[in-house]
Amino acid sequence: MSWLETSIMARKGLAKGKPGKAYSITEESQGQYHYVYGPYAKPVLKVDPGSVISAETHDAFEGKIKYETDKPSEILNFPFLNPQNGPIYVNGAEKGDTLAVYIKSIVPRGPQPVGTTCLIREFGGLVATGDTALLNPPLPERVKKVEVTLEGGVKWSDKLTLPYQPFIGTIGTSPEIEAITSLQPDYYGGNMDLPDVGVDAVIYLPVNAPGALLYLGDCHAIQGDGELCGVALEHPTVTTVQVDLIKKWTFKWPRLENEKFFMTIGSSRPMEDAARIAYRELIRWMAADFGFEELDAYMLLTQCGRMRLGNMVDPKYTLGASILKSYLA
Amino acid sequence: MSWLETSIMARKGLAKGKPGKAYSITEESQGQYHYVYGPYAKPVLKVDPGSVISAETHDAFEGKIKYETDKPSEILNFPFLNPQNGPIYVNGAEKGDTLAVYIKSIVPRGPQPVGTTCLIREFGGLVATGDTALLNPPLPERVKKVEVTLEGGVKWSDKLTLPYQPFIGTIGTSPEIEAITSLQPDYYGGNMDLPDVGVDAVIYLPVNAPGALLYLGDCHAIQGDGELCGVALEHPTVTTVQVDLIKKWTFKWPRLENEKFFMTIGSSRPMEDAARIAYRELIRWMAADFGFEELDAYMLLTQCGRMRLGNMVDPKYTLGASILKSYLA
Amino acid sequence: MSWLETSIMARKGLAKGKPGKAYSITEESQGQYHYVYGPYAKPVLKVDPGSVISAETHDAFEGKIKYETDKPSEILNFPFLNPQNGPIYVNGAEKGDTLAVYIKSIVPRGPQPVGTTCLIREFGGLVATGDTALLNPPLPERVKKVEVTLEGGVKWSDKLTLPYQPFIGTIGTSPEIEAITSLQPDYYGGNMDLPDVGVDAVIYLPVNAPGALLYLGDCHAIQGDGELCGVALEHPTVTTVQVDLIKKWTFKWPRLENEKFFMTIGSSRPMEDAARIAYRELIRWMAADFGFEELDAYMLLTQCGRMRLGNMVDPKYTLGASILKSYLA
Amino acid sequence: MSWLETSIMARKGLAKGKPGKAYSITEESQGQYHYVYGPYAKPVLKVDPGSVISAETHDAFEGKIKYETDKPSEILNFPFLNPQNGPIYVNGAEKGDTLAVYIKSIVPRGPQPVGTTCLIREFGGLVATGDTALLNPPLPERVKKVEVTLEGGVKWSDKLTLPYQPFIGTIGTSPEIEAITSLQPDYYGGNMDLPDVGVDAVIYLPVNAPGALLYLGDCHAIQGDGELCGVALEHPTVTTVQVDLIKKWTFKWPRLENEKFFMTIGSSRPMEDAARIAYRELIRWMAADFGFEELDAYMLLTQCGRMRLGNMVDPKYTLGASILKSYLA
């Protein structure tokens, strides 16, 4: 039996966590990819809870960075970055509900070398940026193209092959009335760049607009904590997810469940605020659903909470606070 | 001769800083007020550079907090807060241009007591918030209604009358494809809550979308640095501005000019990033338009730059860096 | 009548704010200058409340940067920077008391050009530093020497003379058991770099160690908000202060009084924490000594509080929150 | 063969990572414990590189919190907190060298329940503090006493036993002239509260003062990432370390090596600055000792760097950036 059968998605979802009808979104059927998370775009699909959707995702640069001699500053055109599939309208979803998204598989697609990372002006965790606005000269631009396969992993160099550990960098629902750049993570998900949002995990996303309006894209073949230079191993994929709908389960920030742990995800600046959000949400979850008094949860997490750094480069930083399921039994 | 005649608006604006046709936006003609800064709303007016527009602004609560016994938590409905007039489409404005807005007058309107301040749960500079997410119990809610008149000032209490020093709390242009809550300040202006944006000042706003799409609202009768509890002396007004258009003057963050100084405005978190943005933009301005070498400007501002704290309560904090015009002569 | 006669120092000080015996600390009598604020140094003077002390202060570089061709990186030897006069032991001062220091005069001394500013590697508000640790290349080093006189002001260039507006950059009492670099501002004062600490102001410093152990140095001829590049117009001076002692007036952070306003001073990172400290201390002061209920003070400061940015370059940032005395009457 | 035999300590240390003479520091021989990291205390031991020292450490409260009915606010007396053993003078250590400390064992001592955690006013990751200075009411105080044994683990409750995963919360060398509270982590180590500083790890500490002057204390039986409420499972121990000395290996921030990875440790505020320090130091290490070009290291860590959150509660936050040894081969 898979852990999934005892997941919150299986226990509370309208489709009981069972796969339903299958859909696919190709580059052609997607047509225009999106650069904001908002309610103003026409849905590419309308589906019922339980539906399984395979989407052809682009990399964060829509495939425009092709060669190691390319200059990102000449190719990229802000704000038309980080193209997203969707929005997918989930029938029955209303503000106050939760959309559950189980990530079934992520597979690289397209001609090799399919992976891209690069150094971009005024972007990254260890350089002056538009916010940390300084006078120092910039680093040189640099592009690295990498072969990535499901079986062979990430061929970083002749000497070093990294494992293929794919996840969805950007996934979320629509805000109610805002339309926010897909470069930003926030209360609805978005560009969290958190490696735990990988295969065999369920992410729970608050529904803010009718139909939830799920967007996703920006899959990474592997990424370190913080996505240090701002550009993970970006690659186009076929990503398959199964959606479910939990009525009247209401919370503000994304949550995640996998075989081992429960996680809450906060995004903010400065970084301590993202950490505070993540841990406060986890305490609230433990109090609401696992029988803890809040201060007891606070003291227990002091001893055994885990904190994962997603990104330290996006408009808001993202961290995920978690606790082992075995400690909640 | 007014200083305005030698302003950048007068020297570079298509209308030479001269007033043109007059318009008025009443509550009725505005119809639906707006809660996001974005390109998805239909313009309420289309005007030429030089136009003078009087707008009936609401207070930040759309007038819904009427009595000192009201509970904000029962009345306010996020994200439908901070209603904005507009958008005003300025003919000829394109991405890369600058919209100049001269603030001619701000006058209170409506039945007394017309001013409102209050304490709102999880909002304010000295309380735990949704971002600085803590476990401490909240403060009590509290509402204070205050009589405000142009002549008599702000009757804070029997013993204390504060001066009427009105300014526009929220003003800006539309982002290119984003639609962002009117509670947030950012690169296009928005909810900066900076007292220098007052009568007899020109604010220069970057144009990101066709027609610039000017929004404004949220006038304050007086406000201290930081807007400490998050709610200044909010009041409905008739606010009159004159717009002008400067073609191909391109910069990222709002700028301001008045009789005495030039100012650049940054909004970010943490607060030091807002300060860095403001000062870096001022250095760039001094280098581009006033003949300074960048490092000389950096060293001079070290001796005579001024920094005004706008807000320390909104989704991004706002600060304005300035230098006296007399030091640039 | 001077405002000083109604100051808190005059009303509560053991010496009633009256000048007592006069002392002077010359370079020779000082001997070893100090680079930490702590209780481990031998006092250079022991004085009674009311004493007036004139001290020959060094500039922040102990006079070692002499020419515009000097390279700070070759001359400066961390942590032996920002030399301090003192400590001055004030008889009767105990933990829980407050030391009042009235600044009587600051006069430049030494051969012209007596003023120095410069760009230092990994230091400053708009560069990558040891804390905001980035990979960008550094700025070039640069030294500027400036003539400074009491009458003629600060000769910045042939075209620009800035006013002489001197203040004490670094002043404070000793921590109880810590000894902290004189480059850092904190709860005991230290390197606040706040221009309000100027002539005709009283700074109130918490006493943490027996005798208070007053240190001071680092006078600036003029400085903008934030001390942007990290080096104001540094200059050696004769600085004259009058000390007084207020028994059992206990608070945590420095306070300041001048003719116009009361100010509380916070130092922390990120910058919003310094602002929070400053405003919370001001509210506590208004509640303890001026008859305010705390939440009323919070709401009033929202309308009329002022915030001055001292430094945005030191190990902690410093801000001062103030309210006009006329609003407290 | 132990990994230790190929460690940097073994390869570069004067004692080649071999154990030498054994010493023990008892409560009695320690006498006065210390509350600052500084050069002003008399060494409790002088030892050669290779020496093995067992120290009886106190818990962070010096054993004063004995019962669950105790009130920390009535018992604890700031700044006399977090008592430290030492300083240990290591013969031959000079500024510019590195002290290597291999952690051999940590064993609980004293009468059960030997573990303590508690909620302290204005301290902790999810409450208003002295720095994040707010007006919200405080949480209640609370003390929890827990049985901790080497074999039986941490008896959190009748239903939950946590593993015993001890580490040294506070360890470091002396600053050159500063004496800083043992509550603070910084460039010399100190109160990092980083769980990786556990048994079978080597921590490398920069030497700033003659003899290095090693302090240690504050052992935790287990701790979650961030030490959320500020008080891990504090307990008195016998902690045994082996010191070695690496001449002329100079860097600014602590480093760590264990069987699996190399780590660099940064402490600062806001949290992103601690993360930046940690990653920049790791890049510099990879460049200096492992043959990487800096920008290549930056891009590689983007894909496979790991970031551990030590504390989010102390005067500076601590994070450790690491890379697997297998990626450096």
Side-chain angles (χ1 to χ4, degrees):
Chain A
M1 188 181 95
S2 159
W3 71 271
L4 193 64
E5 294 177 37
T6 61
S7 69
I8 295 173
M9 182 168 88
R11 286 185 287 120
K12 297 194 179 180
L14 288 187
K16 304 289 175 204
K18 305 288 186 207
K21 189 169 169 188
Y23 296 85
S24 105
I25 302 172
T26 61
E27 284 194 38
E28 194 180 356
S29 69
Q30 176 65 50
Q32 179 62 57
Y33 284 67
H34 297 288
Y35 310 98
V36 292
Y37 274 62
Y40 304 105
K42 187 161 172 284
V44 64
L45 279 182
K46 291 203 173 196
V47 305
D48 286 325
S51 296
V52 176
I53 303 124
S54 288
E56 291 184 354
T57 70
H58 274 306
D59 71 22
F61 310 118
E62 216 153 343
K64 292 177 187 165
I65 299 182
K66 293 190 163 68
Y67 308 104
E68 298 201 337
T69 50
D70 283 343
K71 293 234 177 266
S73 61
E74 294 167 2
I75 289 173
L76 305 178
N77 180 24
F78 179 86
F80 303 100
L81 292 172
N82 203 13
Q84 299 294 300
N85 291 87
I88 298 163
Y89 186 105
V90 178
N91 296 318
E94 298 169 297
K95 186 176 179 177
D97 297 340
T98 287
L99 185 71
V101 183
Y102 175 64
I103 303 167
K104 291 179 84 82
S105 68
I106 301 174
V107 179
R109 70 183 180 96
Q112 297 291 349
V114 74
T116 305
T117 182
C118 60
L119 301 184
I120 296 176
R121 288 277 162 85
E122 300 226 324
F123 180 61
L126 294 184
V127 298
T129 66
D131 281 282
T132 303
L134 307 178
L135 297 176
N136 298 83
L139 297 184
E141 299 189 85
R142 183 179 293 195
V143 172
K144 185 176 174 75
K145 301 291 292 188
V146 182
E147 190 181 305
V148 176
T149 58
L150 198 56
E151 309 76 18
V154 175
K155 302 261 176 213
W156 185 259
S157 69
D158 290 350
K159 294 190 298 186
L160 180 60
T161 298
L162 300 169
Y164 184 60
Q165 297 174 332
F167 70 96
I168 304 177
T170 311
I171 184 171
T173 52
S174 176
E176 186 169 5
I177 59 173
E178 291 185 286
I180 296 176
T181 169
S182 55
L183 296 170
Q184 178 166 322
D186 216 319
Y187 58 92
Y188 51 81
N191 193 21
M192 299 176 286
D193 289 321
L194 181 66
D196 299 297
V197 187
V199 174
D200 204 30
V202 181
I203 185 161
Y204 298 103
L205 297 162
V207 177
N208 295 294
L213 301 176
L214 177 68
Y215 293 84
L216 64 83
D218 184 31
C219 292
H220 297 169
I222 183 173
Q223 185 200 293
D225 297 344
E227 199 186 14
L228 187 58
C229 82
V231 185
L233 227 292
E234 314 289 333
H235 72 321
T237 72
V238 177
T239 290
T240 303
V241 300
Q242 176 181 326
V243 298
D244 210 331
L245 182 63
I246 303 175
K247 295 296 293 181
K248 297 188 190 309
W249 191 28
T250 308
F251 47 79
K252 180 156 181 205
W253 291 89
R255 296 177 174 186
L256 185 140
E257 177 181 6
N258 64 24
E259 186 170 4
K260 299 261 176 66
F261 58 73
F262 293 108
M263 177 179 271
T264 46
I265 303 169
S267 296
S268 191
R269 288 194 177 199
M271 197 183 284
E272 52 264 38
D273 273 2
R276 286 161 169 159
I277 290 168
Y279 263 135
R280 185 168 79 168
E281 288 295 309
L282 187 52
I283 287 171
R284 288 180 171 175
W285 194 0
M286 290 166 69
D289 292 356
F290 297 96
F292 281 81
E293 193 254 2
E294 279 208 0
L295 298 188
D296 281 341
Y298 184 38
M299 293 175 91
L300 177 58
L301 289 173
T302 302
Q303 317 312 332
C304 66
R306 286 287 166 266
M307 186 65 81
R308 182 79 178 270
L309 175 60
N311 90 77
M312 55 183 279
V313 295
D314 296 322
K316 298 190 176 191
Y317 305 131
T318 300
L319 291 100
S322 62
I323 185 168
L324 291 177
K325 287 178 168 182
S326 58
Y327 291 162
L328 297 175
Chain B
M1 188 182 94
S2 160
W3 71 270
L4 193 64
E5 294 177 38
T6 61
S7 69
I8 295 173
M9 182 169 88
R11 286 184 287 119
K12 297 194 180 180
L14 288 187
K16 304 288 175 203
K18 305 288 186 206
K21 190 170 168 188
Y23 296 85
S24 105
I25 302 171
T26 62
E27 284 194 37
E28 194 179 357
S29 69
Q30 175 66 49
Q32 179 63 55
Y33 283 68
H34 297 288
Y35 310 98
V36 292
Y37 274 61
Y40 303 105
K42 187 160 172 284
V44 65
L45 279 183
K46 290 203 173 196
V47 305
D48 286 325
S51 295
V52 176
I53 303 125
S54 289
E56 289 184 354
T57 69
H58 272 307
D59 71 22
F61 309 118
E62 215 153 345
K64 291 177 186 166
I65 299 182
K66 294 190 164 67
Y67 308 105
E68 297 201 338
T69 50
D70 284 343
K71 292 234 177 266
S73 62
E74 294 167 3
I75 289 174
L76 305 179
N77 180 26
F78 179 87
F80 303 100
L81 292 171
N82 203 14
Q84 300 293 300
N85 291 86
I88 298 163
Y89 187 105
V90 179
N91 295 319
E94 297 169 297
K95 187 176 179 178
D97 297 340
T98 287
L99 185 70
V101 183
Y102 175 64
I103 304 167
K104 292 179 83 83
S105 67
I106 301 174
V107 179
R109 70 183 180 97
Q112 296 292 349
V114 73
T116 305
T117 182
C118 60
L119 301 184
I120 296 176
R121 287 278 162 85
E122 299 225 326
F123 181 60
L126 294 183
V127 298
T129 65
D131 281 282
T132 303
L134 307 177
L135 297 175
N136 298 84
L139 297 183
E141 299 189 85
R142 183 179 291 194
V143 171
K144 184 176 176 74
K145 300 291 292 189
V146 181
E147 190 181 306
V148 177
T149 58
L150 198 55
E151 309 76 19
V154 174
K155 301 260 175 213
W156 185 259
S157 69
D158 290 350
K159 294 191 299 187
L160 180 59
T161 298
L162 300 169
Y164 184 61
Q165 297 174 331
F167 69 97
I168 304 177
T170 311
I171 184 170
T173 53
S174 176
E176 186 169 5
I177 59 173
E178 291 185 286
I180 297 177
T181 169
S182 55
L183 296 169
Q184 178 167 321
D186 217 318
Y187 58 92
Y188 51 81
N191 192 21
M192 298 176 286
D193 290 321
L194 182 67
D196 298 298
V197 188
V199 175
D200 204 29
V202 181
I203 185 162
Y204 299 102
L205 297 162
V207 176
N208 295 294
L213 300 177
L214 177 69
Y215 294 84
L216 63 85
D218 184 32
C219 292
H220 297 168
I222 183 173
Q223 185 200 292
D225 296 345
E227 199 185 15
L228 188 58
C229 82
V231 185
L233 228 291
E234 313 289 332
H235 72 320
T237 72
V238 177
T239 290
T240 303
V241 300
Q242 175 181 326
V243 298
D244 210 331
L245 182 63
I246 303 175
K247 294 298 291 181
K248 297 189 189 310
W249 190 28
T250 307
F251 48 77
K252 180 155 181 206
W253 291 89
R255 297 177 173 184
L256 185 140
E257 177 181 6
N258 63 23
E259 186 171 3
K260 298 262 177 66
F261 58 74
F262 293 108
M263 176 180 272
T264 47
I265 303 169
S267 296
S268 191
R269 287 193 179 202
M271 196 183 285
E272 52 265 39
D273 273 2
R276 286 159 169 160
I277 291 168
Y279 263 134
R280 185 168 77 167
E281 289 295 309
L282 187 52
I283 288 170
R284 288 179 170 175
W285 195 359
M286 290 166 69
D289 293 356
F290 297 96
F292 281 82
E293 192 255 2
E294 278 208 0
L295 298 188
D296 281 340
Y298 184 38
M299 294 176 90
L300 176 58
L301 288 173
T302 302
Q303 316 312 331
C304 67
R306 286 288 166 264
M307 185 65 82
R308 182 78 179 271
L309 174 60
N311 90 77
M312 56 182 279
V313 295
D314 296 322
K316 299 190 176 191
Y317 306 130
T318 300
L319 290 100
S322 62
I323 184 167
L324 291 178
K325 288 178 167 182
S326 59
Y327 291 161
L328 298 175
Chain C
M1 188 182 95
S2 160
W3 71 271
L4 193 65
E5 295 177 38
T6 62
S7 69
I8 295 173
M9 182 169 88
R11 286 184 287 121
K12 297 194 179 179
L14 288 187
K16 305 287 176 206
K18 304 288 186 205
K21 189 169 168 187
Y23 296 85
S24 104
I25 303 172
T26 61
E27 284 194 38
E28 193 179 358
S29 68
Q30 176 65 50
Q32 179 63 56
Y33 283 68
H34 297 286
Y35 310 99
V36 292
Y37 274 63
Y40 303 104
K42 186 160 175 284
V44 65
L45 279 183
K46 291 202 174 198
V47 305
D48 286 325
S51 296
V52 176
I53 303 126
S54 288
E56 290 185 354
T57 69
H58 273 308
D59 71 22
F61 310 118
E62 215 153 344
K64 292 176 185 165
I65 299 182
K66 294 190 165 63
Y67 309 104
E68 297 201 340
T69 51
D70 284 343
K71 292 234 177 267
S73 62
E74 294 167 2
I75 290 174
L76 304 179
N77 180 25
F78 179 85
F80 303 100
L81 293 171
N82 203 13
Q84 300 293 301
N85 291 86
I88 298 164
Y89 187 104
V90 179
N91 295 318
E94 298 169 297
K95 187 176 179 178
D97 297 340
T98 287
L99 186 70
V101 183
Y102 175 64
I103 303 166
K104 291 178 84 84
S105 67
I106 301 175
V107 179
R109 69 182 180 98
Q112 296 291 349
V114 73
T116 306
T117 181
C118 59
L119 301 184
I120 296 176
R121 287 278 162 85
E122 299 226 325
F123 181 59
L126 294 184
V127 298
T129 65
D131 281 282
T132 302
L134 307 178
L135 297 175
N136 298 85
L139 297 184
E141 299 188 85
R142 184 179 292 194
V143 171
K144 186 176 173 75
K145 300 291 292 189
V146 182
E147 188 182 308
V148 176
T149 58
L150 198 56
E151 309 76 18
V154 175
K155 302 261 176 213
W156 184 257
S157 69
D158 289 351
K159 293 189 301 186
L160 180 60
T161 298
L162 300 170
Y164 184 60
Q165 297 174 332
F167 69 97
I168 304 177
T170 311
I171 183 170
T173 52
S174 176
E176 186 169 6
I177 58 174
E178 291 185 286
I180 297 176
T181 169
S182 55
L183 295 170
Q184 178 166 320
D186 216 319
Y187 58 92
Y188 50 81
N191 192 21
M192 299 175 286
D193 289 322
L194 181 67
D196 298 298
V197 187
V199 175
D200 204 29
V202 180
I203 185 161
Y204 298 103
L205 296 162
V207 176
N208 295 294
L213 300 178
L214 177 68
Y215 293 84
L216 64 84
D218 184 31
C219 291
H220 297 169
I222 183 174
Q223 185 201 292
D225 296 345
E227 199 185 14
L228 186 59
C229 83
V231 185
L233 228 290
E234 314 290 332
H235 71 321
T237 72
V238 176
T239 290
T240 303
V241 300
Q242 175 181 326
V243 298
D244 209 331
L245 183 63
I246 303 175
K247 294 297 292 181
K248 297 188 190 308
W249 190 29
T250 307
F251 48 79
K252 179 153 182 207
W253 291 89
R255 296 177 173 185
L256 184 141
E257 178 181 6
N258 64 23
E259 185 170 5
K260 299 262 176 65
F261 58 73
F262 293 109
M263 177 180 271
T264 46
I265 303 169
S267 296
S268 191
R269 287 194 176 200
M271 197 183 284
E272 51 266 38
D273 273 3
R276 287 161 168 159
I277 290 168
Y279 263 135
R280 184 168 80 168
E281 289 295 310
L282 186 53
I283 287 171
R284 288 180 170 174
W285 194 1
M286 290 166 69
D289 293 356
F290 297 96
F292 281 81
E293 193 255 1
E294 278 208 0
L295 297 189
D296 281 341
Y298 185 38
M299 293 175 90
L300 178 57
L301 289 173
T302 303
Q303 316 313 330
C304 66
R306 286 288 166 264
M307 185 66 81
R308 182 79 179 269
L309 175 60
N311 90 77
M312 56 182 278
V313 295
D314 296 322
K316 299 190 176 191
Y317 306 130
T318 299
L319 291 100
S322 63
I323 185 168
L324 291 176
K325 288 179 166 180
S326 58
Y327 291 162
L328 297 176
Chain D
M1 188 182 95
S2 160
W3 70 271
L4 194 63
E5 295 176 37
T6 61
S7 68
I8 295 173
M9 182 168 88
R11 287 184 286 121
K12 297 195 180 180
L14 288 187
K16 305 288 176 205
K18 305 288 186 206
K21 189 168 169 188
Y23 296 85
S24 104
I25 303 172
T26 61
E27 285 193 37
E28 194 179 358
S29 69
Q30 175 65 51
Q32 179 63 55
Y33 283 67
H34 297 287
Y35 310 99
V36 292
Y37 273 63
Y40 304 104
K42 187 162 173 283
V44 66
L45 279 183
K46 290 202 173 198
V47 305
D48 285 325
S51 295
V52 176
I53 303 126
S54 289
E56 290 184 354
T57 70
H58 273 308
D59 71 21
F61 310 119
E62 215 154 345
K64 292 177 185 165
I65 298 182
K66 293 191 165 64
Y67 308 104
E68 297 201 339
T69 50
D70 284 343
K71 291 233 178 271
S73 61
E74 294 167 3
I75 290 174
L76 304 179
N77 180 25
F78 180 86
F80 303 100
L81 292 171
N82 202 15
Q84 300 293 300
N85 291 87
I88 299 164
Y89 186 105
V90 179
N91 296 319
E94 298 169 297
K95 187 175 179 178
D97 297 341
T98 287
L99 185 71
V101 184
Y102 175 64
I103 303 167
K104 291 179 84 82
S105 67
I106 302 174
V107 179
R109 69 183 181 96
Q112 296 291 349
V114 73
T116 305
T117 182
C118 60
L119 302 184
I120 296 176
R121 287 278 163 85
E122 299 225 326
F123 181 59
L126 294 184
V127 298
T129 65
D131 281 283
T132 303
L134 308 177
L135 298 175
N136 298 83
L139 297 184
E141 297 188 86
R142 184 179 292 195
V143 171
K144 185 176 175 74
K145 300 291 292 189
V146 182
E147 189 182 307
V148 176
T149 58
L150 198 55
E151 309 75 19
V154 175
K155 302 259 176 215
W156 184 259
S157 70
D158 290 349
K159 294 189 299 186
L160 180 59
T161 298
L162 300 169
Y164 184 60
Q165 297 174 332
F167 69 97
I168 304 176
T170 311
I171 183 170
T173 52
S174 177
E176 186 168 6
I177 58 173
E178 292 186 286
I180 297 177
T181 170
S182 55
L183 297 169
Q184 178 166 321
D186 217 318
Y187 59 92
Y188 51 80
N191 192 21
M192 298 175 286
D193 290 321
L194 181 68
D196 298 297
V197 187
V199 176
D200 203 31
V202 180
I203 184 161
Y204 299 103
L205 297 161
V207 177
N208 295 294
L213 300 178
L214 177 69
Y215 294 85
L216 64 83
D218 184 31
C219 291
H220 297 169
I222 183 173
Q223 185 200 293
D225 296 345
E227 199 186 13
L228 187 59
C229 82
V231 185
L233 229 291
E234 313 290 334
H235 71 321
T237 72
V238 176
T239 290
T240 303
V241 300
Q242 174 181 326
V243 298
D244 209 332
L245 183 63
I246 303 175
K247 295 297 294 181
K248 297 189 190 309
W249 190 29
T250 307
F251 47 79
K252 179 155 182 206
W253 291 89
R255 296 178 173 184
L256 184 140
E257 178 181 7
N258 64 23
E259 185 170 5
K260 299 262 177 64
F261 58 75
F262 293 109
M263 176 179 272
T264 47
I265 303 170
S267 296
S268 191
R269 287 194 176 199
M271 196 183 285
E272 52 265 37
D273 272 3
R276 286 161 169 159
I277 291 168
Y279 263 135
R280 184 168 78 168
E281 289 295 310
L282 187 53
I283 288 171
R284 288 179 170 175
W285 194 1
M286 290 166 69
D289 292 356
F290 298 96
F292 281 82
E293 192 254 3
E294 279 208 0
L295 297 189
D296 282 340
Y298 184 38
M299 293 175 91
L300 177 58
L301 289 173
T302 303
Q303 315 313 330
C304 67
R306 286 288 166 263
M307 185 65 81
R308 183 78 179 269
L309 175 60
N311 90 76
M312 56 183 278
V313 295
D314 296 322
K316 298 190 177 191
Y317 305 130
T318 300
L319 290 100
S322 62
I323 185 167
L324 290 177
K325 288 178 166 181
S326 58
Y327 291 161
L328 297 175

